[in-house]
Protein backbone atom coordinates (compact mmCIF):
# COMPACT_ATOMS: atom_id res chain seq x y z
CA UNK A 1 0.00 0.00 0.00
CA UNK A 2 1.16 3.55 -0.70
CA UNK A 3 1.00 5.76 2.35
CA UNK A 4 1.19 9.54 2.00
CA UNK A 5 2.23 11.29 5.22
CA UNK A 6 1.53 15.02 5.28
CA UNK A 7 4.03 16.43 7.79
CA UNK A 8 6.69 13.72 7.66
CA UNK A 9 9.80 15.76 8.41
CA UNK A 10 9.97 15.26 12.18
CA UNK A 11 8.12 14.20 15.32
CA UNK A 12 5.16 11.88 14.87
CA UNK A 13 5.28 12.14 11.05
CA UNK A 14 8.88 10.90 10.95
CA UNK A 15 8.00 8.08 13.38
CA UNK A 16 5.03 7.16 11.16
CA UNK A 17 7.30 7.00 8.10
CA UNK A 18 9.66 4.73 9.99
CA UNK A 19 6.85 2.50 11.29
CA UNK A 20 5.33 2.16 7.79
CA UNK A 21 8.69 1.35 6.19
CA UNK A 22 9.18 -1.55 8.63
CA UNK A 23 6.48 -3.31 6.60
CA UNK A 24 7.74 -4.26 3.13
CA UNK A 25 4.19 -3.96 1.75
CA UNK A 26 4.28 -0.21 2.36
CA UNK A 27 5.72 2.54 0.17
CA UNK A 28 5.79 5.97 1.75
CA UNK A 29 5.54 9.46 0.30
CA UNK A 30 6.43 12.15 2.81
CA UNK A 31 5.47 15.82 2.53
CA UNK A 32 6.81 18.77 4.52
CA UNK A 33 8.24 22.26 4.19
CA UNK A 34 11.69 21.24 5.44
CA UNK A 35 14.33 20.76 2.76
CA UNK A 36 15.17 17.05 2.32
CA UNK A 37 18.84 17.60 3.24
CA UNK A 38 17.72 18.88 6.65
CA UNK A 39 15.85 15.69 7.55
CA UNK A 40 18.35 13.48 9.39
CA UNK A 41 16.62 10.12 8.83
CA UNK A 42 15.69 10.65 5.20
CA UNK A 43 18.81 8.92 3.81
CA UNK A 44 17.98 5.70 5.66
CA UNK A 45 14.35 5.79 4.55
CA UNK A 46 15.33 6.38 0.92
CA UNK A 47 17.71 3.41 1.07
CA UNK A 48 14.69 1.12 1.43
CA UNK A 49 13.75 2.11 -2.15
CA UNK A 50 10.19 2.63 -0.85
CA UNK A 51 10.38 6.26 0.26
CA UNK A 52 10.00 9.53 -1.61
CA UNK A 53 9.90 13.04 -0.19
CA UNK A 54 8.27 16.16 -1.64
CA UNK A 55 8.99 19.56 -0.17
CA UNK A 56 5.71 21.46 -0.03
CA UNK A 57 3.86 23.94 2.14
CA UNK A 58 0.24 22.82 2.25
CA UNK A 59 -0.95 26.33 3.06
CA UNK A 60 0.07 27.70 -0.36
CA UNK A 61 -1.31 27.30 -3.90
CA UNK A 62 2.07 25.89 -4.97
CA UNK A 63 1.86 23.32 -2.16
CA UNK A 64 -1.62 22.44 -3.34
CA UNK A 65 -0.28 21.83 -6.87
CA UNK A 66 2.43 19.54 -5.45
CA UNK A 67 -0.20 17.57 -3.48
CA UNK A 68 -2.18 17.08 -6.71
CA UNK A 69 0.90 15.87 -8.56
CA UNK A 70 1.70 13.44 -5.71
CA UNK A 71 -1.86 12.14 -5.95
CA UNK A 72 -1.42 11.55 -9.69
CA UNK A 73 1.70 9.45 -8.95
CA UNK A 74 -0.27 6.96 -6.87
CA UNK A 75 -0.96 3.62 -8.57
CA UNK A 76 -4.60 2.66 -9.24
CA UNK A 77 -4.84 0.89 -5.89
CA UNK A 78 -6.09 1.68 -2.39
CA UNK A 79 -3.81 4.23 -0.72
CA UNK A 80 -3.55 5.69 2.76
CA UNK A 81 -3.29 9.42 3.42
CA UNK A 82 -2.31 10.62 6.89
CA UNK A 83 -2.98 14.28 7.64
CA UNK A 84 -0.42 14.79 10.40
CA UNK A 85 0.75 18.35 9.61
CA UNK A 86 0.00 20.98 12.21
CA UNK A 87 1.49 24.15 13.59
CA UNK A 88 1.69 23.61 17.34
CA UNK A 89 2.04 27.16 18.52
CA UNK A 90 0.34 29.18 21.21
CA UNK A 91 -1.65 32.20 20.11
CA UNK A 92 -1.71 33.57 23.67
CA UNK A 93 1.26 35.34 25.24
CA UNK A 94 2.16 34.59 28.89
CA UNK A 95 0.05 37.57 29.98
CA UNK A 96 -2.92 36.38 27.93
CA UNK A 97 -2.43 38.79 24.99
CA UNK A 98 -3.96 37.37 21.81
CA UNK A 99 -1.43 36.80 19.01
CA UNK A 100 -3.26 37.00 15.69
CA UNK A 101 -0.27 35.96 13.51
CA UNK A 102 0.15 32.70 15.43
CA UNK A 103 -3.62 32.16 15.32
CA UNK A 104 -3.51 32.49 11.51
CA UNK A 105 -0.52 30.14 11.12
CA UNK A 106 -2.24 27.42 13.17
CA UNK A 107 -5.51 27.73 11.27
CA UNK A 108 -3.82 27.94 7.86
CA UNK A 109 -2.14 24.56 8.38
CA UNK A 110 -4.90 22.83 10.36
CA UNK A 111 -8.00 24.06 8.55
CA UNK A 112 -7.05 25.42 5.09
CA UNK A 113 -4.28 22.78 4.82
CA UNK A 114 -6.75 19.99 5.63
CA UNK A 115 -9.01 21.25 2.84
CA UNK A 116 -6.13 21.19 0.35
CA UNK A 117 -5.25 17.62 1.34
CA UNK A 118 -8.86 16.44 0.94
CA UNK A 119 -9.05 18.26 -2.40
CA UNK A 120 -5.86 16.62 -3.70
CA UNK A 121 -6.44 13.04 -2.54
CA UNK A 122 -10.22 12.70 -2.16
CA UNK A 123 -10.81 11.55 -5.71
CA UNK A 124 -8.13 8.85 -5.60
CA UNK A 125 -9.27 7.63 -2.19
CA UNK A 126 -12.93 7.36 -3.16
CA UNK A 127 -12.13 5.73 -6.51
CA UNK A 128 -9.77 3.07 -5.19
CA UNK A 129 -11.12 2.65 -1.63
CA UNK A 130 -8.41 4.01 0.60
CA UNK A 131 -7.84 4.99 4.19
CA UNK A 132 -7.76 8.58 5.46
CA UNK A 133 -6.20 9.21 8.85
CA UNK A 134 -6.54 12.55 10.59
CA UNK A 135 -4.20 13.23 13.50
CA UNK A 136 -6.40 15.24 15.83
CA UNK A 137 -5.70 15.76 19.52
CA UNK A 138 -7.38 15.19 22.87
CA UNK A 139 -7.50 18.98 23.06
CA UNK A 140 -10.24 18.79 20.41
CA UNK A 141 -12.41 17.32 23.17
CA UNK A 142 -11.70 19.70 26.07
CA UNK A 143 -9.76 22.98 26.33
CA UNK A 144 -6.02 22.49 27.04
CA UNK A 145 -5.05 23.76 30.48
CA UNK A 146 -1.25 23.36 30.78
CA UNK A 147 -0.49 25.11 27.44
CA UNK A 148 -3.25 27.65 27.00
CA UNK A 149 -4.18 28.37 23.37
CA UNK A 150 -7.21 28.97 21.19
CA UNK A 151 -6.65 28.15 17.51
CA UNK A 152 -4.86 24.83 18.04
CA UNK A 153 -7.65 22.99 19.92
CA UNK A 154 -10.26 24.68 17.73
CA UNK A 155 -8.50 23.57 14.51
CA UNK A 156 -8.38 20.01 15.85
CA UNK A 157 -12.08 20.18 16.71
CA UNK A 158 -12.63 21.40 13.14
CA UNK A 159 -10.73 18.42 11.74
CA UNK A 160 -12.64 16.03 13.98
CA UNK A 161 -16.03 17.28 12.81
CA UNK A 162 -14.86 17.58 9.17
CA UNK A 163 -13.87 13.90 9.17
CA UNK A 164 -17.12 12.84 10.86
CA UNK A 165 -19.00 14.72 8.16
CA UNK A 166 -16.86 13.23 5.39
CA UNK A 167 -17.56 9.75 6.71
CA UNK A 168 -21.20 10.28 5.86
CA UNK A 169 -20.28 11.23 2.27
CA UNK A 170 -17.43 8.80 1.61
CA UNK A 171 -19.35 5.98 3.38
CA UNK A 172 -17.74 2.58 2.75
CA UNK A 173 -15.52 3.90 -0.08
CA UNK A 174 -12.94 5.36 2.29
CA UNK A 175 -12.20 4.20 5.80
CA UNK A 176 -11.62 7.24 7.99
CA UNK A 177 -9.76 7.09 11.29
CA UNK A 178 -9.39 10.08 13.60
CA UNK A 179 -6.53 9.74 16.06
CA UNK A 180 -6.67 11.57 19.40
CA UNK A 181 -3.23 11.57 20.99
CA UNK A 182 -2.60 13.12 24.36
CA UNK A 183 0.79 14.54 25.20
CA UNK A 184 3.48 12.77 23.10
CA UNK A 185 7.25 12.64 23.43
CA UNK A 186 7.52 14.55 26.64
CA UNK A 187 11.11 15.42 27.52
CA UNK A 188 10.14 16.45 31.07
CA UNK A 189 7.19 14.31 32.11
CA UNK A 190 5.34 15.43 35.20
CA UNK A 191 6.39 13.16 38.09
CA UNK A 192 3.75 10.49 38.69
CA UNK A 193 2.21 11.12 35.28
CA UNK A 194 4.84 9.61 32.91
CA UNK A 195 2.26 7.06 31.73
CA UNK A 196 0.42 10.04 30.22
CA UNK A 197 3.19 10.67 27.68
CA UNK A 198 3.92 7.87 25.18
CA UNK A 199 6.80 8.35 22.73
CA UNK A 200 6.37 9.23 19.05
CA UNK A 201 7.46 5.70 18.17
CA UNK A 202 4.82 4.06 20.39
CA UNK A 203 2.05 6.26 19.00
CA UNK A 204 3.20 5.72 15.39
CA UNK A 205 3.29 1.94 15.82
CA UNK A 206 -0.25 1.91 17.22
CA UNK A 207 -1.54 3.96 14.29
CA UNK A 208 0.20 1.84 11.64
CA UNK A 209 -1.05 -1.37 13.28
CA UNK A 210 -4.62 -0.06 12.96
CA UNK A 211 -4.11 0.97 9.30
CA UNK A 212 -2.84 -2.54 8.52
CA UNK A 213 -5.70 -4.23 10.35
CA UNK A 214 -8.84 -5.55 8.68
CA UNK A 215 -11.08 -3.17 10.60
CA UNK A 216 -9.88 0.42 10.72
CA UNK A 217 -11.58 2.01 13.77
CA UNK A 218 -13.30 5.40 13.49
CA UNK A 219 -11.38 6.75 16.46
CA UNK A 220 -8.14 5.92 18.20
CA UNK A 221 -7.53 7.37 21.68
CA UNK A 222 -3.87 7.32 22.79
CA UNK A 223 -3.36 6.45 25.60
CA UNK A 224 -6.82 4.94 26.00
CA UNK A 225 -7.35 5.73 29.74
CA UNK A 226 -6.44 9.39 29.17
CA UNK A 227 -8.68 9.49 26.11
CA UNK A 228 -11.58 8.16 28.15
CA UNK A 229 -10.97 10.81 30.82
CA UNK A 230 -11.00 13.52 28.12
CA UNK A 231 -14.24 12.10 26.75
CA UNK A 232 -15.67 12.53 30.24
CA UNK A 233 -14.24 16.10 30.43
CA UNK A 234 -16.04 16.94 27.21
CA UNK A 235 -19.44 16.29 28.79
CA UNK A 236 -18.69 17.94 32.16
CA UNK A 237 -19.91 21.49 32.75
CA UNK A 238 -17.01 23.89 32.05
CA UNK A 239 -16.94 25.07 35.69
CA UNK A 240 -16.32 21.54 37.01
CA UNK A 241 -13.80 20.82 34.25
CA UNK A 242 -11.82 24.02 34.93
CA UNK A 243 -11.76 23.20 38.68
CA UNK A 244 -10.29 19.72 37.97
CA UNK A 245 -7.85 21.21 35.44
CA UNK A 246 -6.74 23.79 38.03
CA UNK A 247 -5.89 20.98 40.50
CA UNK A 248 -3.77 19.17 37.88
CA UNK A 249 -2.10 22.45 36.88
CA UNK A 250 -1.20 23.18 40.52
CA UNK A 251 0.30 19.68 40.87
CA UNK A 252 2.36 20.20 37.68
CA UNK A 253 3.58 23.59 38.91
CA UNK A 254 4.69 22.30 42.33
CA UNK A 255 6.36 19.31 40.65
CA UNK A 256 8.24 21.67 38.30
CA UNK A 257 9.39 23.83 41.26
CA UNK A 258 10.55 20.74 43.18
CA UNK A 259 12.47 19.58 40.06
CA UNK A 260 14.20 22.98 39.74
CA UNK A 261 15.24 22.94 43.44
CA UNK A 262 16.85 19.46 43.13
N1 LIG B 1 3.22 16.44 20.24
C1 LIG B 1 2.12 16.24 20.96
O1 LIG B 1 2.16 16.18 22.19
C2 LIG B 1 0.79 16.06 20.26
C3 LIG B 1 -0.36 15.79 21.04
C4 LIG B 1 -1.58 15.62 20.40
C5 LIG B 1 -1.66 15.70 19.02
N2 LIG B 1 -0.54 15.95 18.29
C6 LIG B 1 -0.66 16.05 16.85
O2 LIG B 1 0.24 15.12 16.26
C7 LIG B 1 0.72 15.64 15.03
C8 LIG B 1 2.24 15.63 15.04
O3 LIG B 1 2.71 16.36 16.15
P1 LIG B 1 4.28 16.60 16.36
O4 LIG B 1 4.52 16.75 17.79
O5 LIG B 1 5.04 15.59 15.58
O6 LIG B 1 4.43 18.04 15.67
P2 LIG B 1 5.68 18.71 14.94
O7 LIG B 1 6.95 18.12 15.44
O8 LIG B 1 5.51 20.17 15.05
O9 LIG B 1 5.50 18.24 13.43
C9 LIG B 1 4.54 18.83 12.61
C10 LIG B 1 4.75 18.34 11.20
O10 LIG B 1 3.84 19.09 10.37
C11 LIG B 1 4.56 19.60 9.27
N3 LIG B 1 3.95 20.84 8.82
C12 LIG B 1 3.57 21.91 9.57
N4 LIG B 1 3.08 22.88 8.79
C13 LIG B 1 3.15 22.42 7.51
C14 LIG B 1 2.81 22.97 6.26
N5 LIG B 1 2.30 24.19 6.16
N6 LIG B 1 3.01 22.23 5.15
C15 LIG B 1 3.54 20.98 5.24
N7 LIG B 1 3.88 20.39 6.41
C16 LIG B 1 3.70 21.11 7.53
C17 LIG B 1 5.97 19.83 9.81
O11 LIG B 1 6.91 19.80 8.77
P3 LIG B 1 7.69 21.08 8.23
O12 LIG B 1 8.01 21.98 9.36
O13 LIG B 1 8.87 20.44 7.56
O14 LIG B 1 6.76 21.68 7.25
C18 LIG B 1 6.15 18.60 10.71
O15 LIG B 1 6.59 17.51 9.94
C19 LIG B 1 0.13 17.03 14.88
O16 LIG B 1 -1.02 16.98 14.08
C20 LIG B 1 -0.24 17.39 16.29
O17 LIG B 1 -1.29 18.33 16.34
C21 LIG B 1 0.68 16.14 18.87
Amino acid sequence: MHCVIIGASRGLGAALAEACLKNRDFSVIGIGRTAPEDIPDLGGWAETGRFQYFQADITTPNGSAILHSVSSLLPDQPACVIMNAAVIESDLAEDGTFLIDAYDRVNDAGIAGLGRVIDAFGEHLTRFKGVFVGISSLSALAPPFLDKRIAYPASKAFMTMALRSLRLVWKDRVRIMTVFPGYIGSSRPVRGFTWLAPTYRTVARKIVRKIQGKRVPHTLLIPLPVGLIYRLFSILPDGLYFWAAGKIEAHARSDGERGRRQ
Side-chain angles (χ1 to χ4, degrees):
M1 182 188 255
H2 275 69
C3 189
V4 181
I5 301 170
I6 319 290
S9 59
R10 59 170 187 272
L12 181 61
L16 282 165
E18 206 148 310
C20 285
L21 289 169
K22 287 225 153 64
N23 182 337
R24 289 183 180 280
D25 294 337
F26 272 90
S27 291
V28 176
I29 300 178
I31 312 267
R33 293 165 302 176
T34 304
E37 57 274 20
D38 294 332
I39 302 175
D41 295 327
L42 195 138
W45 301 340
E47 270 172 22
T48 63
R50 292 179 284 115
F51 181 83
Q52 284 175 279
Y53 182 77
F54 291 83
Q55 190 177 359
D57 180 343
I58 60 164
T59 66
T60 65
N62 183 46
S64 194
I66 295 172
L67 293 178
H68 277 277
S69 63
V70 167
S71 182
S72 68
L73 288 177
L74 294 172
D76 293 354
Q77 290 166 6
C80 171
V81 175
I82 305 180
M83 173 50 178
N84 170 70
V87 170
I88 307 178
E89 195 177 336
S90 182
D91 46 12
L92 293 172
E94 293 248 323
D95 63 358
T97 307
F98 178 59
L99 306 169
I100 183 75
D101 290 346
Y103 177 89
D104 285 344
R105 278 193 294 277
V106 173
N107 285 334
D108 284 351
I111 298 180
L114 173 67
R116 291 193 146 106
V117 171
I118 294 169
D119 181 48
F121 295 100
E123 196 193 327
H124 186 283
L125 289 174
T126 49
R127 224 167 128 206
F128 300 104
K129 291 198 167 191
V131 181
F132 190 95
V133 178
I135 309 296
S136 181
S137 165
L138 288 180
S139 58
L141 305 176
F145 49 88
L146 289 175
D147 292 313
K148 295 189 179 66
R149 35 194 161 196
I150 302 171
Y152 178 74
S155 69
K156 293 300 186 184
F158 179 94
M159 170 195 266
T160 303
M161 184 50 80
L163 296 189
R164 282 176 70 186
S165 308
L166 259 185
R167 195 170 287 125
L168 195 70
V169 182
W170 284 353
K171 291 204 173 104
D172 52 357
R173 289 177 296 163
V174 184
R175 289 167 295 161
I176 299 177
M177 177 167 78
T178 310
V179 182
F180 296 88
Y183 195 53
I184 322 172
S186 168
S187 53
R188 190 177 58 82
V190 177
R191 194 174 51 87
F193 286 90
T194 43
W195 57 281
L196 288 176
T199 62
Y200 285 122
R201 187 182 288 185
T202 309
V203 175
R205 280 191 190 147
K206 281 196 174 143
I207 295 170
V208 172
R209 220 177 294 134
K210 294 295 177 193
I211 295 169
Q212 289 169 328
K214 277 208 171 71
R215 225 197 110 261
V216 177
H218 286 185
T219 58
L220 182 58
L221 301 162
I222 305 174
L224 181 63
V226 186
L228 293 176
I229 292 168
Y230 264 82
R231 280 256 158 107
L232 174 69
F233 282 169
S234 67
I235 56 166
L236 288 181
D238 272 358
L240 191 55
Y241 166 68
F242 290 142
W243 173 82
K247 293 276 174 210
I248 298 173
E249 200 172 4
H251 176 87
R253 211 178 306 117
S254 72
D255 187 74
E257 279 161 15
R258 201 177 302 120
R260 270 193 296 282
R261 277 201 301 273
Q262 278 167 4

